[in-house]
Amino acid sequence: MTRRVAVPFAVLMIVAVLVVVPLTGPARAVDTRGAATSAANSAAGAGAVVLDAAVNNVSVSGRRIVLDPGQPTHVVVAVRNNRNELAQIRSIRVSGSTLGLTFFVFDTAVKMDVPAGTSVTWEVDVDMAELRGQATGLLSMQVALRDATRTVVASASGIVDVHGSLVSTYGMFGLGLLLVTIFLWAAALLALARHRLPRDRWRRAVRFAPAGCGIGFVAVVSLSALRITPPSASSDLTFIAGAAGIGFLLGYLTPSPARSTSVPQSPTFPESPPAPADPDQWFPDDRSGITDRVWDHEPGVHYGEPS
């Protein structure tokens, strides 16, 4: 049993290292080289357009921003053009997403021309009444400036708390993930109960891994919709990879289906009726018309009836 547990545990640890180390590496670099990172960011922004946005008087890169569909959303953008040419801004997009999927988008047409080396501040009230049926809970928000070709010139990201309805696009998305996860677990457990899983342990592990992955997706959406944990790339991958690993481990440890020891029975045929005791009844046809004469090969010779 120890060997059976050690192999999938080693695989799970390798997956965890491959997922967690790339995610925590950049954060560790920021903590140990904060000054160097800030200097690098300043140098990078020397030739770009820098955006400082605030929604409802809260900085996008600061605390959580509350969006109430029943009230107008006040957006303030401060643009600094560090380029050597004119920056033309034609629209401002406010969007919210999670798991790489966008659940609400609001575009506002503007006409801002920011000369090189100058700053411009612009503010507007955005009607987000339709947000109630689009999302709810904590989502990743992005405020982006786009030019005439719809190319993003500058952007700022943060966390938004949407006071929407559970019966929204995001809520139905979570419900769909829950139903798919229940179906995957029901199919896997039913195959286990009927002893129809593959005899190979790795194939059984792969059979349970998608069901565990579904639990990870449901956990990410549920924690976001219930306003417990905001979505992020690190937390999303951790939940999904961890749940998939647990499902993989459970599938690996499931018992092997027992081989069938029963001998297949030979096909049965209907029994023939018993033979009659009287030989005259062997042939049921009328014997009165049967001639018992036997003829020889020689024509005209008659041997008579048998005595």
Side-chain angles (χ1 to χ4, degrees):
M1 184 65 182
T2 304
R3 184 178 180 182
R4 294 179 178 178
V5 177
V7 174
F9 181 76
V11 174
L12 182 61
M13 292 300 297
I14 294 174
V15 173
V17 170
L18 293 177
V19 172
V20 175
V21 171
L23 295 175
T24 57
R28 193 183 304 112
V30 172
D31 294 338
T32 57
R33 299 191 300 252
T37 305
S38 300
N41 291 338
S42 300
V49 177
V50 180
L51 170 64
D52 185 12
V55 178
N56 292 335
N57 299 324
V58 178
S59 176
V60 172
S61 58
R63 299 175 301 168
R64 297 180 182 177
I65 299 173
V66 178
L67 293 183
D68 187 358
Q71 299 178 358
T73 300
H74 188 67
V75 180
V76 179
V77 293
V79 184
R80 172 71 181 179
N81 185 11
N82 295 324
R83 296 177 178 176
N84 296 326
E85 57 184 6
L86 177 68
Q88 297 180 342
I89 310 300
R90 293 297 177 261
S91 66
I92 299 177
R93 165 168 289 189
V94 180
S95 60
S97 61
T98 185
L99 294 174
L101 302 176
T102 301
F103 288 93
F104 71 85
V105 175
F106 292 92
D107 291 327
T108 302
V110 297
K111 187 176 182 180
M112 290 192 306
D113 295 333
V114 185
T118 61
S119 300
V120 174
T121 302
W122 183 85
E123 58 184 84
V124 66
D125 290 333
V126 182
D127 184 11
M128 295 188 177
E130 299 178 356
L131 186 60
R132 184 179 303 276
Q134 296 178 353
T136 186
L138 302 177
L139 283 85
S140 299
M141 186 185 69
Q142 183 186 60
V143 178
L145 304 179
R146 304 192 302 172
D147 57 15
T149 61
R150 306 292 180 90
T151 303
V152 176
V153 177
S155 63
S157 301
I159 302 298
V160 62
D161 184 2
V162 181
H163 290 181
S165 173
L166 288 176
V167 189
S168 60
T169 303
Y170 190 56
M172 293 299 100
F173 174 73
L175 179 61
L177 289 177
L178 178 60
L179 294 178
V180 171
T181 303
I182 293 176
F183 173 78
L184 291 175
W185 276 105
L189 295 178
L190 186 62
L192 176 63
R194 293 182 176 181
H195 304 283
R196 293 183 177 179
L197 289 175
R199 294 191 56 83
D200 184 67
R201 288 188 174 275
W202 295 103
R203 293 179 61 187
R204 295 201 304 272
V206 173
R207 179 70 178 271
F208 277 79
C213 187
I215 291 182
F217 279 103
V218 172
V220 170
V221 176
S222 299
L223 294 176
S224 172
L226 297 177
R227 299 177 176 86
I228 298 176
T229 302
S232 64
S234 59
S235 63
D236 294 351
L237 290 177
T238 300
F239 276 116
I240 296 172
I246 293 175
F248 184 89
L249 182 62
L250 291 177
Y252 186 87
L253 297 178
T254 53
S256 301
R259 292 182 177 179
S260 178
T261 57
S262 60
V263 179
Q265 299 180 356
S266 59
T268 58
F269 299 95
E271 297 181 357
S272 58
D278 188 2
D280 293 336
Q281 298 180 2
W282 287 358
F283 300 97
D285 53 331
D286 188 7
R287 297 172 55 88
S288 60
I290 300 178
T291 304
D292 295 332
R293 296 179 178 180
V294 180
W295 297 92
D296 197 332
H297 292 284
E298 299 179 7
V301 180
H302 180 255
Y303 293 92
E305 296 181 357
S307 57

